[in-house]
Amino acid sequence: MGNTAITKVQLEASKNMAPADHGKRMAAGGSPPPECPMHQKNAENTSASAVPPHPKMQSASECPVQHDNSDVNPLNMMPPANQQPAKDQPFPLPTDRQTSTIPKVTEDGTVQFWQYPSQQMFWNAMLRKGWRWKTEDVTQKDMGDIIRIHNANNEQAWQEVLKWEALHAKECGNPRLKSFGGKAKDFSPRARFRSWLGYELPFDRHDWIVDRCGKDVRYVIDYYDGGLVDKDYRFALLDVRPAMDSVDNVWDRMRVAYMRWKYELLGKYNDAGSSKVSAGSE
């Protein structure tokens, strides 16, 4: 997810996995593998209108990535998946891949879903980024945990995007992810402002382009260290919101801010009323 910062975090997370035998906090830094769609910056310049069914009922799409090799498919910028064991690889890794629940924009309008990298593809991608295996670095089990953490974070991010897209459900009931880009060190203004107040900076940032039935909408996602990995393999705290680069996005941000303020105020009022009733009945 993004072109920097996540691989080392996932390596540390996999070695310190909760539920049973992992308990340390996550560390930030490093470089992510580019295989997953969450690491690609280019995507097809088309939109789709069909409501996507369950991903298991439709085909899955490979993750397009940018390469200079001549064997890259110019239609989707996708090189052949490298599922071959690396030289001196200490143990075999599975090559099976999980299909996400995240629909993508396709050139012909067919319903397809992003497909996550296999453990072998993730390993090869880390090697291309300059990482080298050491005995204490990662085990065969860790690679499975890394993939689960990676996929869970992507699914969580998409669910947060869908909450914002619900504001436009009448105009578009089936938003899709069109393109992705990582900006780990390009901190958003919001993240910088939070850091001035004493909060930590995010360990990663992504910009996602969502196709809202023909309209491109950019989302900014800041990833913060959430500590222990939970039973669902999630550890990151996500701050997902539309980028303030259009009138519609600014209006959405204002609407949600108002709704949060309103219900928070109502909650405090109701709590105060309940306390008075309880005190009067004693």
Side-chain angles (χ1 to χ4, degrees), residues 21-204:
D21 53 357
H22 301 278
K24 299 180 182 178
R25 292 180 63 84
M26 305 303 110
S31 300
E35 264 74 9
C36 172
M38 307 310 163
H39 304 123
Q40 72 98 9
K41 294 184 178 179
N42 294 335
E44 295 85 347
N45 296 320
T46 58
S47 61
S49 58
V51 177
H54 190 278
K56 291 184 179 179
M57 301 175 62
Q58 292 291 332
S59 58
S61 173
E62 300 285 344
C63 302
V65 290
Q66 287 186 328
H67 287 267
D68 294 328
N69 300 331
S70 58
D71 57 353
V72 171
N73 186 336
L75 296 178
N76 58 14
M77 296 304 296
M78 182 187 68
N82 183 3
Q83 297 276 34
Q84 298 301 315
K87 182 180 179 181
D88 300 327
Q89 185 173 310
F91 40 74
L93 291 171
T95 58
D96 56 296
R97 305 178 66 179
Q98 177 183 344
T99 300
S100 77
T101 63
I102 307 173
K104 67 167 295 180
V105 174
T106 55
E107 186 170 285
D108 57 3
T110 58
V111 178
Q112 296 187 24
F113 295 82
W114 293 105
Q115 192 174 33
Y116 294 126
S118 67
Q119 294 183 36
Q120 185 62 65
M121 293 171 65
F122 208 104
W123 180 281
N124 293 337
M126 290 192 297
L127 292 178
R128 287 199 303 273
K129 288 289 185 177
W131 175 82
R132 293 296 178 265
W133 179 81
K134 298 178 182 178
T135 304
E136 68 276 11
D137 270 351
V138 61
T139 67
Q140 191 172 25
K141 178 184 180 302
D142 290 336
M143 288 303 300
D145 292 337
I146 289 172
I147 291 295
R148 293 184 186 96
I149 293 169
H150 173 273
N151 298 356
N153 282 332
N154 292 338
E155 295 293 331
Q156 183 183 0
W158 178 241
Q159 291 304 312
E160 293 298 317
V161 167
L162 290 180
K163 293 177 182 178
W164 287 95
E165 286 299 302
L167 296 173
H168 302 273
K170 291 184 179 180
E171 63 182 276
C172 182
N174 55 302
R176 302 185 181 198
L177 252 59
K178 182 177 182 179
S179 64
F180 314 78
K183 298 182 177 181
K185 300 304 180 182
D186 185 8
F187 299 115
S188 65
R190 178 162 166 160
R192 290 188 182 277
F193 180 75
R194 282 173 50 86
S195 71
W196 296 338
L197 297 178
Y199 295 97
E200 66 175 346
L201 286 167
F203 67 80
D204 201 5

